[in-house]
Amino acid sequence: DVLNDFYSPEGYHTTKGGKDTSLLRETLPAFREFLNYVREREMLVVHIPTPMTWGEVSPTRLRFRRNVYKNYELACERGTWGAEFYEGFEPVGKELVVEKRVNSGFLNTKLADVLRSNGIRTAIVTGCVTDGCVYSTVEGASDNGFYPVIPVNCVGAFTRADHAIGLSMLGA
């Protein structure tokens, strides 16, 4: 989820969503250091972005989102700059990309199969937002028999309160 619409001050969540994304950007130095550490050890890296078109959003999700967010617009729209990886967090080499359509990286994706086929038993979950996609992906990892690990300095939310709630929900 290290995409422009989430992390950039010019992204959707700042310009249209009215969110302060500066807390997400505060995680980037530690996140970059961790990613470099993992890459140096040639560990499997799977990026899980959420590029979508209106046709890929389920009618029930769209209805829910429009009830919660009155002027709901699509973030990370496929083919736009906002759906691209934030500079410095693009996949490199043999790193994999598994696209998702909902908060969880596991729901209706091939992520569990990818991890199992590579002999992975522990899923290290990073990104944003702690109380949303991170939480859902950690739950999905556990539900699929993986041991989830959350490097707390590599996850973030739009507010410190939401981040704290997410970490509490995760038991971190």
Side-chain angles (χ1 to χ4, degrees):
D1 274 337
V2 187
L3 305 176
N4 289 324
D5 269 351
F6 282 94
Y7 286 84
S8 173
E10 291 83 35
Y12 168 88
H13 286 289
T14 299
T15 61
K16 295 182 181 175
K19 307 271 188 194
D20 179 359
T21 57
S22 63
L23 292 177
L24 294 178
R25 285 189 300 283
E26 284 180 14
T27 68
L28 293 178
F31 199 161
R32 185 172 284 116
E33 183 179 337
F34 181 74
L35 185 57
N36 289 337
Y37 175 89
V38 167
R39 286 173 171 165
E40 288 168 5
R41 282 148 186 80
E42 298 182 7
M43 297 168 71
L44 177 66
V45 174
V46 182
H47 300 267
I48 311 171
T50 316
M52 284 192 264
T53 62
W54 284 107
E56 294 172 304
V57 180
S58 76
T60 53
R61 183 172 177 85
L62 185 57
R63 182 174 160 205
F64 170 75
R65 290 288 179 163
R66 286 192 169 151
N67 284 336
V68 173
Y69 309 103
K70 298 304 176 203
N71 297 313
Y72 179 67
E73 294 184 38
L74 192 61
C76 305
E77 188 167 358
R78 186 181 298 285
T80 67
W81 168 86
E84 293 175 9
F85 289 95
Y86 192 74
E87 186 177 349
F89 291 87
E90 304 90 345
V92 298
K94 296 179 183 180
E95 294 177 359
L96 304 175
V97 175
V98 173
E99 292 184 359
K100 64 183 177 128
R101 301 287 170 266
V102 295
N103 289 353
S104 174
F106 285 91
L107 185 63
N108 299 322
T109 72
K110 297 190 181 296
L111 182 57
D113 293 336
V114 166
L115 297 178
R116 282 191 193 97
S117 69
N118 282 280
I120 304 297
R121 295 178 48 203
T122 300
I124 302 171
V125 182
T126 58
C128 71
V129 294
T130 314
D131 54 319
C133 295
V134 172
Y135 175 79
S136 295
T137 300
V138 167
E139 285 281 307
S142 179
D143 290 345
N144 281 278
F146 298 97
Y147 299 100
V149 173
I150 308 105
V152 296
N153 58 343
C154 299
V155 296
F158 296 118
T159 69
R160 293 194 195 287
D162 288 346
H163 182 60
I165 288 167
L167 292 177
S168 176
M169 291 168 30
L170 293 165

